[in-house]
Amino acid sequence: MQREELERTHVALEISRDRYVDLYASAPVGYLSLSADGRIQDANLTVSALLGVERGRLRGRGFGNFVAPESVPRWVRLLSTVRADAERHSCDLLLRREDGATIDARLICQFSDSTDAEGAVRVVLTDVTEQKHAEAKVRTYVDLAPAALLVLDGQGRFVDGNPAALTLLGVDATTLRSMTIVDAVAPPGREEALRGLETLRATGRLEKDHQLLRPDGRRPWVAVRAVRIANDRYMAFCMDVTEQRQTLDALQASEQRFRDVAASTDVYIFEMDAKGVITFISEAVE
């Protein structure tokens, strides 16, 4: 009875092992086991297909041999970081296949103690080539957009901006990333800008006009339309409305002058529309 029980247990373990091996080998995501110095100890069929090398020929080869030259420094830093602690680390690398073609890959790595003295690095590898191409296409559209587009975090710090935004603010990309909305808005409106940020965080939307303060002293007016695009990330669409504001201010000033003149004269002044409805009367008419 004990022998039969052991045999049943052995068969169950073999079935479980075979199921694990099948799942590991056929998983749509690449799985790798590396030695501490970055040599491939094991890899599944997805990794074999991505790198264009038969699975059996991968064992013992340095993974760094498949890293494109421009990504080698990042790979060296990643491997060093992973070996330093047991935390999970990730990095995007450009990999070079056996046939010379390149793919964009995202690696999630974690150091794990193994039976050998060196230990091993467990790696999940995903092909993100299509995602990178899509991001590049979107970035091209954003860069060519005539409207100023700004990305900021929940603290009001600028994270990114397209060329139109840099032109509008009169700064370069490096300076932009060191700025907050308080730095960009003219002093009279800074408190209002901070209140607007609170509204944006609370509701995920904001529509407001602000006067900016550029490094060259110019103070353009912009219509800001902002929305939440991710956790702690917001995109602001900004349109220069300086001419419209100047026109509106001129009209308001002209209207005020007219009313001041009408209020200070004894001449009877009134206005009416095309239907004869009176729309304005001076104090003398009253």
Side-chain angles (χ1 to χ4, degrees), residues 223-282:
V224 179
R225 304 294 180 264
V227 294
R228 181 186 288 114
I229 57 174
N231 251 356
D232 198 45
R233 286 293 182 272
Y234 305 86
M235 177 170 282
F237 302 81
C238 306
M239 182 173 294
D240 190 337
V241 292
T242 305
E243 291 187 9
Q244 294 92 316
R245 291 286 303 212
Q246 290 174 343
T247 301
L248 179 62
D249 291 344
L251 286 173
Q252 291 176 340
S254 177
E255 175 75 12
Q256 187 59 48
R257 283 196 299 271
F258 167 75
R259 292 182 180 276
D260 290 342
V261 170
S264 61
T265 181
D266 292 333
V267 176
Y268 301 149
I269 301 174
F270 69 91
E271 286 183 346
M272 62 182 178
D273 61 19
K275 296 181 180 180
V277 177
I278 295 176
T279 59
F280 172 78
I281 58 175
S282 66

Side-chain angles (χ1 to χ4, degrees), residues 16-257:
S16 176
R17 181 203 61 195
D18 291 344
R19 185 182 300 116
Y20 165 76
V21 170
D22 184 58
L23 288 173
Y24 176 86
S26 305
V29 177
Y31 291 114
L32 283 161
S33 293
L34 306 179
S35 63
D37 62 355
R39 293 193 173 276
I40 299 173
Q41 295 177 327
D42 196 9
N44 68 351
L45 293 174
T46 301
V47 173
S48 173
L50 288 175
L51 299 180
V53 182
E54 292 179 7
R55 186 180 176 189
R57 293 176 49 223
L58 284 173
R59 292 187 178 93
R61 297 181 64 174
F63 184 77
N65 295 331
F66 296 101
V67 179
E70 54 267 44
S71 291
V72 168
R74 271 183 292 162
W75 163 242
V76 172
R77 287 195 300 271
L78 175 65
L79 187 60
S80 175
T81 302
V82 170
R83 287 183 305 204
D85 58 53
E87 297 297 321
R88 185 172 296 180
H89 301 275
S90 63
C91 181
D92 289 355
L93 299 175
L94 185 65
L95 302 183
R96 191 174 298 279
R97 288 167 43 90
E98 188 87 336
D99 58 10
T102 57
I103 61 171
D104 290 291
R106 179 160 297 145
L107 279 68
I108 301 176
C109 309
Q110 188 168 17
F111 188 81
S112 174
D113 292 334
S114 65
T115 55
D116 59 76
E118 291 184 345
V121 179
R122 311 302 184 199
V123 180
V124 178
L125 188 152
T126 309
D127 185 356
V128 293
T129 304
E130 291 187 5
Q131 178 184 334
K132 290 289 186 180
H133 288 172
E135 289 175 355
K137 185 180 294 185
V138 171
R139 184 72 206 193
T140 299
Y141 294 155
V142 169
D143 286 346
L144 295 177
L149 302 177
L150 289 162
V151 178
L152 60 153
D153 63 16
Q155 303 304 312
R157 295 185 291 257
F158 292 117
V159 177
D160 199 3
N162 68 346
L166 300 179
T167 300
L168 178 64
L169 294 174
V171 298
D172 57 29
T174 302
T175 304
L176 176 69
R177 294 187 184 96
S178 67
M179 295 171 57
T180 68
I181 57 172
V182 172
D183 301 317
V185 175
R190 288 175 176 172
E191 290 297 327
E192 187 176 358
L194 292 175
R195 288 194 295 270
L197 179 62
E198 293 178 4
T199 301
L200 180 59
R201 287 199 300 255
T203 66
R205 301 184 67 87
L206 177 69
E207 295 186 7
K208 193 70 178 177
D209 288 1
H210 286 292
Q211 188 176 31
L212 304 180
L213 177 60
R214 290 165 47 100
D216 60 9
R218 289 180 52 203
R219 298 189 173 209
W221 279 93
V222 293
V224 179
R225 304 294 180 264
V227 294
R228 181 186 288 114
I229 57 174
N231 251 356
D232 198 45
R233 286 293 182 272
Y234 305 86
M235 177 170 282
F237 302 81
C238 306
M239 182 173 294
D240 190 337
V241 292
T242 305
E243 291 187 9
Q244 294 92 316
R245 291 286 303 212
Q246 290 174 343
T247 301
L248 179 62
D249 291 344
L251 286 173
Q252 291 176 340
S254 177
E255 175 75 12
Q256 187 59 48
R257 283 196 299 271

